[in-house]
Amino acid sequence: MISMRVIATLLTLRKQVGLAALDFRMASLHLSQFIETSRSYQNTAALLHFFNPETLIISSYNAAPDGMVGLGSLVDRCKNARKVELARGCFDDTKGALMLQNLAAKDTSAILSENYHKQFYLCLGAAAAVLKWIDIDQGYLITKNSLQITFNGSFDHMSIDATSVQNLEIIEPLVLDTNKKKNKRGSLYNVLNTTKTVGGQKEGLTDPAANIRRSQALISAVILLKNALDVLPVLSEVLQNATSSLLCNVRTSLCSHSAYSVLKDRIVEVIEEDAMHARSAFASRTEQCFAVKYGVDGMLDLARRTFCTTSAAISKLGEKYQKEFDLPKLKLVYNQRHGFHIVITELDLQEKSLPKSFVQVTKRGKSFCCSTDELMSLNKRNQEAAAECYKRTGRCLEDLAHHIRKDIRYLALLSESLSLLDMMVNSFATLVITRLPATYVRPEFSENGPIAIEAGRHPVLESIHPEEYVPNNTFMAESTNLVIVTGPNMSGKSTYLRQVTLITIMAHIGCYVPASFASFRIVDHVFTRIGTGDNLELNSSTFMAEMKETAFILQNLNDRSLIIIDELGRGTSTSDGLAIAWSSSEYLLSLKAYTIFATHMERLGELATLYPNVKTCFLTVDIVDKRLDFKYLLKEGQTNCPHYGLTLAEISGFPSVVVENARRITARLQEKEKLRLRVGQHKFQSLRKEYHVAQRLFYIQYSNMTEATLRNYLQTLKDSYLRNDM
Ligand SMILES: Nc1ncnc2c1ncn2[C@@H]1O[C@H](COP(=O)(O)OP(=O)(O)OP(=O)(O)O)[C@@H](O)[C@H]1O
């Protein structure tokens, strides 16, 4: 979820929604325009939840189209946002397009062409309103060519609703550990969050409200910019042989652009060639004080001399204390809050007490922190000298900053490209390298092909127990679009469902995936229904929550959705529950969307005898010494561990007479079931066989088998058809 300093504008017309979200921290504007498929604006709500705006601007005229609930209730759901109503005239799409052309950091001819304008007039209108409001009401003016503009239509991105983001533990883990704290390593975001740059982490620009001294921030920004420009020649060399269009684009737009070398020459007229950004407080302070070249400002050179003299005096004072008090391990440490102070551990004190002249004593862990009158006075002079250096350096850099600002569009491109490379290298590529020897593969994509994953693994769970994790395969296609997964409690059903979804998401964000092979049909919406207990806040019962979540999925899915349902219909009577699960499945299998359904209801598996596009799978479990031995291996067919409920009851200490009686009842029920199923199976068996052969032949088009392998495959297919083994 993006937080803070986002202002969003909404404009709707019939079922179309245009949204503009202006993010102050990133100096970026996100435009979206799409057809709202949900009557209660669920897609729009998901987007607003993602942007989490502090202000939400809507048009004062927003009549609800037929059958829609109206914007009012949606806007009320954004509890953190201040609502602002503007006259419809402020949402002028022509003005919006002109403003964006003027403010955009990149060339906008592609996205603001006449075609685009006609098609996406709602989000352009929304953009006009937000830009007008920040100018007139807030007094902010956005500099020309400085705004990053992104556009998401409903056709080229995958949306994940807020509940699914929680269910899949994408940003934060659901499970609380024994200390009631969330396990911070347990989410997909934690696994991928290994980027090194600020942009890569999506943290963004400095918050104007933060209490950072202006000149210090300026010096640090200029040094960082110089360091970024320094790496461009190296980057150009590294990308020399790159073949991907993305990397080639980075090389041509960054490394060969003359604007960057001109900028660097201008910076090194003022800044020392070897000025580096340092992370430690002490090193960064020294770097900042000495960043500007000698001779640029006489007063600055004088302040530096005082800074050096006092720093040297402080260092000598430390040596003096070591000898005088016989404390060879005594250290003088610098931090931003206290400046220089004495640090000595209990152990190094060797049972001596601290000298009387040591004042302001505090204890941190096993160390004492303190100072002396002499050190405090030197510290003060040293701090004043540093402050004077910052002030003077800041002034020296003002001209330079003015010059740099003119090139802001190139800086925006530089920051965006380096953040992108950071994400690709330090997050995605690092993930692959650090998980070796576990395999991560480059996923393949097809327009209408299957989702096929070989030896797929859960990216988060695998990182916790790499040796023990059992990989599993997945195959879903339009001809097998409903997969029913059964298995006892704790056999790994939920994990498998989450694993398939997380692998799909990773593939769609451009990351390698934990599998030995993976191919995907483009998924534009992920839906999940995973029971996580009652929603106390909304006072919904388990059943009600289940129904609401399922209704949401059934109302909003489309042909390219991926749906995972972990149990449905448990919270009501057995017959009603099965009826709901059965009819929802029938609805889902009649569409082109792909669904995986985990359930304890074994009867749901009968769907596979009626519909050829339903596949049943089970997670294998053995019973050893009356105990369940979980294998976590997914196999095709019905469960290999029938009546595990009875086994569990027996292990739990049920009287044997009760268990025996239960076994007799189950056996009688099963006999009747078998008879009924035999009739059904007989009727559909030959049809199913032919369907499966046709399906396999059809999907050969998406494989890249060699001719020899293909011949082999066809022969095996023929043999199993003749053997009746399909
Ligand atoms: N493929 C796997 N390899 C190794 N361990 C696994 C695997 N899948 C699941 N597990 C382990 O099994 C535990 C139980 O898995 P999970 O919660 O998915 O079972 P479940 O069948 O959904 O249970 P329930 O029906 O009670 O919800 C997990 O916490 C995980 O530690």
Side-chain angles (χ1 to χ4, degrees):
M1 188 200 287
I2 294 180
S3 61
M4 287 186 2
R5 306 263 58 206
V6 174
I7 297 173
T9 336
L10 268 184
L11 186 59
T12 56
L13 189 70
R14 287 180 218 103
K15 290 190 178 178
Q16 284 230 54
V17 178
L19 185 140
L22 180 67
D23 183 345
F24 268 100
R25 299 168 319 142
M26 306 293 287
S28 58
L29 180 72
H30 306 273
L31 304 178
S32 309
Q33 185 164 329
F34 51 91
I35 296 176
E36 181 55 85
T37 48
S38 143
R39 294 195 311 143
S40 50
Y41 285 104
Q42 288 296 351
N43 298 321
T44 316
L47 258 185
L48 285 178
H49 180 83
F50 171 71
F51 285 117
N52 191 21
E54 65 168 30
T55 307
L56 183 58
I57 304 170
I58 53 167
S59 151
S60 48
Y61 175 73
N62 251 313
D66 286 349
M68 305 282 274
V69 290
L71 264 193
S73 68
L74 168 67
V75 171
D76 290 342
R77 266 189 270 160
C78 290
K79 295 213 169 60
N80 299 333
R82 176 160 68 112
K83 279 105 204 163
V84 174
E85 276 192 21
L86 290 186
R88 181 66 178 81
C90 299
F91 293 75
D92 183 332
D93 50 307
T94 314
K95 275 194 192 150
L98 282 174
M99 283 162 137
L100 295 190
Q101 254 156 17
N102 199 18
L103 300 178
K106 276 194 239 163
D107 181 12
T108 52
S109 49
I111 56 165
L112 293 179
S113 64
E114 204 182 323
N115 247 350
Y116 179 96
H117 186 164
K118 275 189 201 144
Q119 217 177 336
F120 302 115
Y121 59 99
L122 284 179
C123 61
L124 291 177
V130 71
L131 293 171
K132 186 167 183 165
W133 185 75
I134 60 152
D135 177 9
I136 294 176
D137 202 276
Q138 304 287 296
Y140 285 111
L141 204 63
I142 295 178
T143 323
K144 202 168 175 238
N145 301 130
S146 66
L147 197 62
Q148 288 297 313
I149 301 174
T150 56
F151 176 76
N152 288 317
S154 42
F155 43 81
D156 63 354
H157 71 286
M158 180 203 278
S159 27
I160 312 175
D161 55 281
T163 317
S164 297
V165 170
Q166 271 176 17
N167 282 341
L168 295 169
E169 301 180 301
I170 292 179
I171 308 293
E172 285 201 315
L174 279 173
V175 203
L176 299 181
D177 67 14
T178 41
N179 299 325
K180 301 279 176 221
K181 279 188 194 151
K182 287 193 175 174
N183 166 13
K184 283 286 170 200
R185 293 216 62 81
S187 73
L188 183 63
Y189 175 70
N190 292 140
V191 170
L192 293 172
N193 186 18
T194 48
T195 51
K196 301 243 185 327
T197 63
V198 173
Q201 291 161 16
K202 294 272 170 239
E203 284 293 335
L205 302 177
T206 320
D207 187 339
N211 186 19
I212 299 172
R213 299 223 305 273
R214 189 181 165 277
S215 44
Q216 237 184 317
L218 178 62
I219 306 162
S220 156
V222 173
I223 296 179
L224 275 168
L225 173 61
K226 183 191 154 293
N227 292 168
L229 294 171
D230 284 345
V231 301
L232 291 187
V234 185
L235 190 63
S236 169
E237 224 178 293
V238 172
L239 296 180
Q240 199 162 261
N241 300 323
T243 48
S244 107
S245 57
L246 185 71
L247 296 180
C248 291
N249 268 345
V250 170
R251 187 161 187 263
T252 34
S253 56
L254 282 192
C255 308
S256 337
H257 206 299
S258 60
Y260 295 109
S261 44
V262 173
L263 199 58
K264 164 112 188 271
D265 291 346
R266 180 73 180 85
I267 291 176
V268 293
E269 278 172 20
V270 188
I271 295 280
E272 291 286 358
E273 275 279 1
D274 57 357
M276 289 292 292
H277 172 71
R279 277 185 194 273
S280 87
F282 179 68
S284 136
R285 194 171 83 126
T286 316
E287 279 297 342
Q288 290 182 0
C289 288
F290 290 87
V292 166
K293 286 188 165 166
Y294 267 91
V296 172
D297 175 356
M299 294 304 279
L300 170 62
D301 296 344
L302 204 65
R304 279 170 177 167
R305 223 168 291 150
T306 319
F307 177 76
C308 290
T309 328
T310 47
S311 299
I314 288 171
S315 163
K316 275 210 182 111
L317 196 61
E319 287 163 21
K320 182 182 133 197
Y321 289 154
Q322 283 175 349
K323 284 193 193 124
E324 188 177 329
F325 302 115
D326 190 23
L327 295 170
K329 301 248 167 107
L330 174 148
K331 277 190 269 175
L332 282 185
V333 174
Y334 174 84
N335 70 23
Q336 226 163 8
R337 196 153 162 230
H338 300 107
F340 284 99
H341 54 280
I342 300 166
V343 175
I344 178 118
T345 64
E346 264 175 350
L347 191 71
D348 297 335
L349 257 182
Q350 298 161 348
E351 294 179 5
K352 282 186 271 190
S353 50
L354 283 170
K356 287 220 170 54
S357 54
F358 285 16
V359 291
Q360 294 184 342
V361 182
T362 53
K363 198 166 177 212
R364 274 182 235 150
K366 292 192 172 166
S367 299
F368 292 102
C369 303
C370 44
S371 190
T372 63
D373 290 346
E374 211 176 354
L375 178 58
M376 282 190 285
S377 142
L378 273 174
N379 206 7
K380 192 160 174 268
R381 281 170 52 206
N382 183 263
Q383 304 258 43
E384 282 166 2
E388 185 62 18
C389 288
Y390 293 146
K391 210 170 79 189
R392 291 262 152 205
T393 307
R395 271 187 211 158
C396 294
L397 294 182
E398 258 161 29
D399 253 6
L400 178 63
H402 183 67
H403 178 88
I404 292 172
R405 269 185 218 117
K406 285 191 204 144
D407 282 335
I408 197 91
R409 60 193 301 180
Y410 299 117
L411 299 191
L413 179 67
L414 178 70
S415 147
E416 197 185 319
S417 308
L418 293 182
S419 306
L420 178 76
L421 290 175
D422 181 21
M423 193 172 77
M424 285 165 68
V425 175
N426 291 314
S427 174
F428 294 178
T430 304
L431 180 73
V432 178
I433 296 165
T434 51
R435 297 297 150 93
L436 283 173
T439 43
Y440 266 65
V441 288
R442 181 188 171 142
E444 293 173 11
F445 284 92
S446 65
E447 191 61 26
N448 293 308
I451 289 188
I453 304 168
E454 192 181 83
R457 303 170 320 266
H458 190 297
V460 182
L461 266 188
E462 179 198 38
S463 64
I464 303 168
H465 308 291
E467 273 91 41
E468 291 151 34
Y469 200 80
V470 181
N472 275 309
N473 299 339
T474 306
F475 185 85
M476 277 186 287
E478 279 180 26
S479 52
T480 318
N481 63 339
L482 178 69
V483 178
I484 295 176
V485 179
T486 55
N489 294 89
M490 298 299 286
S491 59
K493 298 185 296 299
S494 314
T495 308
Y496 175 71
L497 261 56
R498 287 193 168 105
Q499 164 186 313
V500 174
T501 323
L502 290 179
I503 292 178
T504 307
I505 292 170
M506 286 173 87
H508 281 72
I509 59 173
C511 187
Y512 274 38
V513 296
S516 60
F517 170 82
S519 176
F520 297 89
R521 174 178 81 171
I522 306 275
V523 172
D524 70 2
H525 211 135
V526 166
F527 291 102
T528 63
R529 215 252 30 99
I530 299 177
T532 50
D534 289 10
N535 187 339
L536 295 178
E537 201 187 336
L538 298 175
N539 199 20
S540 325
S541 70
T542 311
F543 184 61
M544 211 40 208
E546 258 184 45
M547 293 301 101
K548 279 185 187 163
E549 281 180 29
T550 315
F552 170 69
I553 296 174
L554 298 180
Q555 279 172 16
N556 292 299
L557 61 88
N558 65 32
D559 283 351
R560 292 198 168 273
S561 305
L562 172 67
I563 300 138
I564 63 166
I565 300 181
D566 192 357
E567 279 301 351
L568 177 64
R570 260 195 318 187
T572 184
S573 73
T574 321
S575 56
D576 283 6
L578 179 65
I580 288 168
W582 187 283
S583 59
S584 305
S585 304
E586 278 193 325
Y587 180 70
L588 289 166
L589 66 85
S590 69
L591 307 169
K592 287 183 178 172
Y594 296 163
T595 308
I596 314 183
F597 196 146
T599 181
H600 285 275
M601 298 174 190
E602 284 171 14
R603 283 196 61 182
L604 216 51
E606 286 175 29
L607 279 166
T609 59
L610 299 176
Y611 298 98
N613 53 331
V614 178
K615 183 164 79 176
T616 50
C617 297
F618 65 94
L619 281 145
T620 41
V621 179
D622 287 346
I623 299 182
V624 182
D625 296 334
K626 291 191 177 174
R627 297 179 77 91
L628 295 177
D629 179 17
F630 298 110
K631 302 289 182 204
Y632 308 116
L633 195 64
L634 191 77
K635 288 194 176 164
E636 217 169 301
Q638 296 277 7
T639 177
N640 75 328
C641 181
H643 313 307
Y644 59 84
L646 294 182
T647 313
L648 280 184
E650 198 173 3
I651 299 165
S652 321
F654 267 57
S656 55
V657 50
V658 177
V659 178
E660 279 316 309
N661 197 18
R663 282 196 200 286
R664 272 194 298 279
I665 297 171
T666 316
R668 275 208 301 277
L669 289 175
Q670 220 179 3
E671 224 17 73
K672 278 192 198 160
E673 278 298 295
K674 262 190 198 156
L675 259 174
R676 203 172 53 79
L677 276 178
R678 220 172 284 148
V679 178
Q681 263 172 2
H682 183 70
K683 219 162 121 191
F684 295 107
Q685 206 168 22
S686 74
L687 196 64
R688 282 182 65 80
K689 220 172 74 173
E690 273 138 36
Y691 184 84
H692 279 298
V693 173
Q695 173 197 349
R696 282 176 205 189
L697 290 175
F698 179 77
Y699 283 109
I700 287 177
Q701 65 177 306
Y702 297 109
S703 89
N704 46 11
M705 285 189 255
T706 59
E707 195 182 324
T709 331
L710 183 61
R711 279 182 190 287
N712 229 337
Y713 176 78
L714 291 173
Q715 187 60 48
T716 323
L717 190 62
K718 183 178 163 192
D719 293 345
S720 45
Y721 177 78
L722 294 175
R723 273 201 319 268
N724 248 344
D725 178 22
M726 301 284 313

